[in-house]
Amino acid sequence: MTVHVGVIGAGMIGQDHIRRLTEVVTGAAVTAVADVDAGRAAEVAARAGAVSLPTGADLVASPDVDAVLVTSWGPTHAEHVLNAIVVGKPVFCEKPLATTAEDCLRIVEAERAHGRRLVQVGFMRRFDAGYRRMKEVLSTGSLGAPLMVHCAHRNPAVPESYHSAMAAQDTAVHEIDVLRWLLDDEIVSAQVVTPRATSKRFAHLKDPQIMIFETASGVRIDLEVFVNCQYGYDIQCEVVGEDGLVRLPDPAAVGIRTAARHGTGVLQDWKDRFAEAFDTEFREWVTSVAAGTEPTGPSSWDGYAATVITDAAVRSLEAGGGAVTTDMKPRPAFYGDTA
């Protein structure tokens, strides 16, 4: 079957996902678009061969929409996801699932009341080939129990609208989700310390930040978030176990020898680094919708966990760098036993 997808939010990420659904992923068609900017919705819908609808609620209710993709402004996510659950339609929600833990829990409870998983959250790292290979290695137990994780998330630069809390909420949140998944372990505390600030930042921004997390089993995670590193978009991850370590590979790149130097290029943005992961994410989601099975990607509970942990990190940053417990609710059996 062809899955008819309605898209709420026609901004940059929404348009990129519409392109993905219409040009890359088979078995899907975008049939409706809604956005607070009606003119933009009409323009984007016309390019996709879809109709534009006045509101997200109209789109969710449309008989021409089998599944909903939410890429609108973060504070609107909860409303659209809850509307989709009410009518029993699968919904893919770009992160964050909601901007408050309370709204995330409302979604969790609505989905549990419905009786089956309908929601997938857009944490694409789980679909990256390198992270998936790391997961396979860790799952064998050949490295022994994980002890430490070292990570870095570097961007060449960010706009002036980027503020200090976004280092956790918009940037580190991807590591938070993928590390919960890699380790099959929950993060129970967060701490953020700030080293000497780069002169390349805007004055209001604390950059870089070092985030330290502890899991329920005692694994210690350190994450460098440096969003004005200048040289490129650089994602690093290394898990150290009792008997060895596994490291995320850098993206494949040709080696260049010239002018007495040997080097490789460094990617400059997240779209290039994770393009294939985004494609795989949507292929698997469309396949699950077409088959009528529950999604296998990040769940509503994962969306809730990420929000709780980033909230703890922001509280640590604002309080001067002390460790803050996450105070997460017990995980319902509905969502399985592990992250």
Side-chain angles (χ1 to χ4, degrees), residues 83-336:
N83 285 343
I85 293 172
V86 167
V87 297
K89 291 185 179 181
V91 54
F92 183 110
C93 182
E94 265 302 342
K95 61 91 177 171
L97 174 63
T99 51
T100 68
E102 292 75 17
D103 277 347
C104 288
L105 285 176
R106 288 174 60 210
I107 292 169
V108 164
E109 292 308 316
E111 192 174 38
R112 291 176 68 195
H114 177 76
R116 66 186 297 267
R117 277 193 57 192
L118 291 173
V119 180
Q120 179 166 322
V121 184
F123 292 119
M124 98 297 287
R125 298 269 185 100
R126 299 191 189 197
F127 300 88
D128 175 75
Y131 279 111
R132 285 188 161 186
R133 182 62 184 133
M134 289 182 74
K135 177 73 168 176
E136 290 171 6
V137 171
L138 290 168
S139 296
T140 68
S142 61
L143 302 182
L147 306 175
M148 299 171 286
V149 184
H150 311 298
C151 298
H153 188 143
R154 305 182 183 115
N155 293 63
V158 290
E160 191 168 6
S161 57
Y162 189 101
H163 54 80
S164 296
M166 292 173 70
Q169 296 166 339
D170 281 24
T171 302
V173 67
H174 287 290
E175 275 80 14
I176 287 167
D177 177 75
V178 83
L179 291 174
R180 294 177 58 252
W181 172 73
L182 279 177
L183 299 172
D184 281 339
D185 204 355
E186 198 54 86
I187 292 172
V188 297
S189 73
Q191 181 179 6
V192 181
V193 296
T194 52
R196 178 181 178 178
T198 174
S199 64
K200 309 295 185 180
R201 79 198 193 286
F202 289 104
H204 66 271
L205 179 61
K206 294 180 179 179
D207 184 48
Q209 298 179 25
I210 298 173
M211 302 184 184
I212 303 166
F213 303 102
E214 184 177 4
T215 73
S217 70
V219 178
R220 284 287 187 167
I221 299 163
D222 57 82
L223 166 61
E224 170 204 322
V225 177
F226 186 11
V227 295
N228 290 282
C229 80
Q230 305 301 301
Y231 71 86
Y233 183 76
D234 189 9
I235 303 299
Q236 301 292 326
C237 181
E238 179 180 271
V239 181
V240 182
E242 295 172 309
D243 300 311
L245 63 83
V246 59
R247 181 180 294 121
L248 181 71
D250 286 328
V254 297
I256 302 170
R257 296 172 185 262
T258 183
R261 293 182 180 275
H262 177 209
T264 57
V266 178
L267 295 176
Q268 295 299 298
D269 63 49
W270 54 269
K271 288 183 288 185
D272 289 336
R273 173 62 180 84
F274 290 110
E276 291 185 11
F278 278 115
D279 293 347
T280 301
E281 174 184 50
F282 275 93
R283 285 192 187 100
E284 294 187 10
W285 179 64
V286 168
T287 297
S288 71
V289 174
T293 57
E294 294 187 353
T296 58
S299 68
S300 294
W301 184 259
D302 296 318
Y304 162 72
T307 298
V308 170
I309 296 163
T310 57
D311 283 351
V314 172
R315 291 201 303 275
S316 173
L317 175 70
E318 293 176 345
V324 175
T325 58
T326 57
D327 296 326
M328 199 175 301
K329 302 290 185 183
R331 184 187 183 96
F334 182 84
Y335 294 102

Side-chain angles (χ1 to χ4, degrees), residues 14-73:
Q15 292 182 45
D16 194 43
H17 287 339
I18 289 171
R19 176 198 60 78
R20 187 166 282 111
L21 289 168
T22 55
E23 299 178 13
V24 179
V25 176
T26 59
V30 175
T31 53
V33 178
D35 191 273
V36 291
D37 184 335
R40 180 167 61 186
E43 178 185 343
V44 172
R47 290 203 304 266
V51 299
S52 61
L53 295 174
T55 68
D58 293 323
L59 184 145
V60 169
S62 171
D64 297 323
V65 170
D66 303 319
V68 178
L69 169 58
V70 178
T71 57
S72 54
W73 186 44

